[in-house]
Amino acid sequence: MQKQFKTVIEPFKIKTVEPITITDRRQREEWLKEAKYNTFKLKSDQVIIDLLTDSGTSAMSAEQWAGVMRGDESYAGSVSWQRMEKVIKDLTGYPHILPTHQGRAAERILYSHLGGEDKVFLSNTHFDTTRANVEYSGAKAIDCIIPEAYDPDNDFTFKGNADVDTMEQHIREYGADHIGAVILTVTNNSGGGQPVSMENTRQIRDLCRRHGILFILDACRVAENAWFIKQHESGYSGKSCREIASEMFSLADGCVMSAKKDALVNMGGFLALNDPDLADHCTNMLIITEGYTTYGGLSGCDMEAIAIGLDEIFNEDYLQYRTRSTAYLGEHLDKMGIPVIKPIGGHAVYVDAGRLYNHIPPEKYPGHAMACELYKIGGIRSVEIGSVMFGKYDENGDLIPAPRELVRLAIPRRVYTQSHVDYVIEAFGFLKEGKDEVKGYQITKEPKFLRHFTAHFEPVQ
Ligand code: F0G
């Protein structure tokens, strides 16, 4: 009889390795000080485990590297473009595909055309670059997420769902003519990487149809989202994740996708649309700012790797391992009493630093303090998603804190093994033991915009 194994293994073997430099705490303290206590300023060879992002950090497969060799670098009509275009058309069903160098380029092209001073965009949650592109056009970006998402302990599976009633109220308030688009981000990165259900997607499709509004998917983690639907939404257990993703695309009028996530490549993206007129407008902008229509800022070898990655990502042994290994980290931290956002999403674990370091006020940046501690303890790089990233100042110069002080541990695809993850879990054990000694940080220098990338910090004495 076939035995049922509990262990979900990495469904791949390692053919090429990249060395990790093992460092000690004294060195790391020195480097962190040199980096003005900003982990973005660390050099990557000063980092042991890099959980800064899952974007562009995937390990490519032997097939993808073989594709890189095949890459056709012709300026016009590249064979690699033809492959990439076909894979995307087959998956999404959209007839007009525009290649871009990454996701935000597709966003800029689309939202600068649809946006403007009198426009409003609605989303479950606009990712930072989405919001920035919408707002840069002069338009307003409004997040409409279900109430469950505000409770970190509520483990409702589809916590990425949009609040359709709130969207409808905004449509009534601003008028359908003023809605640039409804954007559904799957999975919802800024919320915790939680999925959106097909039912919710269908409701949004109906809402958009009723009001004649364009419906766009931000599809960069659509395969991970499909896996959650297959596991948890009734009627989908017998469908393949690829079929589920295709169904989701069929409900929207188009998508933007950063290929740096679920297309398993280090660079790339695309915009895909149903409407030929909209596609024409976007194509003009593509040629002016990205490149000709058959490469859009990408090399032939990148396009070849995207075509292959978009196929590999739907391997369900991979998706099981992917979501299981992320959950493994989250569940272990939870058991150790480290507060995490629940349920654990697809690409990252979000630690609630504000709760663990409840003795550090937002003005002393508990999330930032946790990111620095993780680096000092284990050479682990994470990213603060709290008041350093989203804090603002009032007219007296006092901090208006972010709603939560989080630290994101994003897991690169096919890169780290279970022992790397066990090492991270162990580091959190040390972090918890020493939590009361951590006092927080103050900012000594900051730029006007996106301060988290370049600000200088100092530990509070
Ligand atoms: N949309 C979502 C949901 C994203 O997570 C990202 C990038 C983008 C759009 C933009 O894509 O980077 O290719 O221009 N997220 C990365 C992250 C940066 O770390 O979460 P891009």
Side-chain angles (χ1 to χ4, degrees):
M1 203 182 76
Q2 174 108 339
K3 299 279 185 218
Q4 279 301 320
F5 281 86
K6 282 208 301 285
T7 311
V8 176
I9 63 166
E10 288 83 2
F12 46 80
K13 296 184 286 184
I14 297 167
K15 195 198 269 296
T16 305
V17 297
E18 224 181 317
I20 292 175
T21 312
I22 306 296
T23 57
D24 63 34
R25 180 162 178 138
R26 196 190 42 76
Q27 288 173 308
R28 294 194 291 267
E29 283 180 353
E30 198 54 41
W31 289 328
L32 190 60
K33 194 170 168 194
E34 279 167 21
K36 311 290 180 199
Y37 297 95
N38 185 336
T39 52
F40 277 101
K41 288 178 179 279
L42 290 167
K43 301 185 174 83
S44 66
D45 54 0
Q46 296 170 339
V47 175
I48 295 180
I49 309 252
D50 206 343
L51 307 183
L52 182 63
T53 179
D54 65 321
S55 179
T57 51
S58 301
M60 292 213 293
S61 66
E63 262 314 296
Q64 285 178 298
W65 283 113
V68 166
M69 282 308 295
R70 268 201 314 267
D72 172 5
E73 303 300 342
S74 303
Y75 189 96
S78 155
V79 174
S80 300
W81 161 245
Q82 294 175 45
R83 289 203 186 94
M84 172 174 159
E85 187 189 32
K86 180 171 186 324
V87 168
I88 299 170
K89 278 188 178 172
D90 288 351
L91 174 66
T92 65
Y94 305 132
H96 305 285
I97 317 296
L98 286 70
T100 60
H101 78 275
Q102 61 183 90
R104 69 196 70 182
E107 294 178 330
R108 182 184 51 77
I109 289 170
L110 183 62
Y111 303 139
S112 64
H113 177 65
L114 298 173
E117 298 287 339
D118 59 343
K119 291 288 165 63
V120 174
F121 288 72
L122 306 175
S123 176
N124 48 344
T125 311
H126 295 82
F127 178 68
D128 320 4
T129 59
T130 319
R131 173 174 289 278
N133 275 297
V134 164
E135 290 177 350
Y136 194 73
S137 81
K140 194 169 171 168
I142 305 179
D143 293 340
C144 311
I145 189 84
I146 52 166
E148 287 87 338
Y150 293 105
D151 174 3
D153 294 322
N154 186 322
D155 62 3
F156 174 57
T157 306
F158 294 107
K159 227 174 166 178
N161 282 356
D163 188 328
V164 183
D165 291 340
T166 307
M167 281 186 167
E168 183 134 42
Q169 279 166 24
H170 287 304
I171 295 171
R172 293 239 153 78
E173 182 186 340
Y174 292 100
D177 292 351
H178 294 278
I179 307 295
V182 169
I183 305 163
L184 191 63
T185 313
V186 300
T187 56
N188 188 25
N189 184 5
S190 310
Q194 279 106 8
V196 176
S197 70
M198 194 70 82
E199 189 192 8
N200 191 248
T201 312
R202 214 172 284 121
Q203 287 167 348
I204 293 168
R205 189 267 318 261
D206 294 344
L207 174 80
C208 289
R209 284 241 175 110
R210 271 202 305 283
H211 295 278
I213 292 168
L214 189 76
F215 176 20
I216 297 293
L217 275 189
D218 178 338
C220 65
R221 298 182 182 86
V222 69
E224 289 170 6
N225 199 88
W227 174 261
F228 286 109
I229 290 180
K230 180 169 172 137
Q231 303 311 304
H232 301 288
E233 191 164 351
S234 105
Y236 287 94
S237 62
K239 294 207 167 143
S240 71
C241 289
R242 197 177 185 286
E243 286 168 333
I244 295 170
S246 290
E247 182 176 335
M248 193 164 244
F249 284 116
S250 77
L251 298 172
D253 302 309
C255 74
V256 288
M257 179 155 179
S258 165
K260 299 170 74 173
K261 285 82 169 172
D262 271 356
L264 292 168
V265 293
N266 307 121
M267 194 50 71
F270 60 88
L271 168 61
L273 296 164
N274 269 335
D275 179 348
D277 293 335
L278 181 57
D280 266 355
H281 281 290
C282 293
T283 301
N284 288 333
M285 192 51 74
L286 177 79
I287 297 174
I288 296 170
T289 61
E290 284 283 297
Y292 184 59
T293 55
T294 62
Y295 74 90
L298 292 169
S299 313
C301 55
D302 293 328
M303 297 194 286
E304 198 72 44
I306 290 172
I308 298 164
L310 275 177
D311 183 43
E312 285 181 359
I313 194 74
F314 289 106
N315 176 308
E316 300 195 3
D317 291 330
Y318 162 78
L319 285 170
Q320 181 188 24
Y321 138 79
R322 168 73 175 158
T323 46
R324 188 59 224 134
S325 58
T326 306
Y328 175 89
L329 173 59
E331 286 164 11
H332 273 78
L333 297 186
D334 185 37
K335 268 196 220 125
M336 289 160 62
I338 306 288
V340 292
I341 305 288
K342 289 183 210 152
I344 308 300
H347 71 295
V349 174
Y350 289 67
V351 181
D352 196 333
R355 268 161 96 182
L356 188 74
Y357 288 154
N358 55 12
H359 58 290
I360 305 179
E363 296 73 35
K364 293 184 182 157
Y365 305 112
H368 185 77
M370 180 176 282
C372 288
E373 279 311 290
L374 274 177
Y375 179 68
K376 285 192 282 179
I377 292 168
I380 299 158
R381 178 153 65 175
S382 54
V383 65
E384 189 255 21
I385 303 193
S387 292
V388 174
M389 196 179 270
F390 294 124
K392 298 205 160 69
Y393 294 112
D394 66 14
E395 60 276 14
N396 303 321
D398 293 327
L399 180 78
I400 309 168
R404 268 189 244 149
E405 306 296 339
L406 303 177
V407 169
R408 184 181 78 169
L409 310 168
I411 321 285
R413 292 169 182 76
R414 306 193 290 208
V415 169
Y416 293 118
T417 62
Q418 184 167 342
S419 67
H420 290 119
V421 175
D422 285 333
Y423 173 89
V424 175
I425 294 167
E426 213 178 324
F428 268 94
F430 296 128
L431 182 133
K432 195 177 172 210
E433 269 168 33
K435 81 179 181 69
D436 295 330
E437 281 120 63
V438 180
K439 307 237 165 20
Y441 283 78
Q442 64 194 40
I443 296 179
T444 54
K445 188 174 166 210
E446 63 182 292
K448 209 162 166 206
F449 297 106
L450 298 173
R451 64 179 180 170
H452 55 285
F453 289 124
T454 54
H456 295 185
F457 299 83
E458 209 171 69
V460 173
Q461 292 312 319

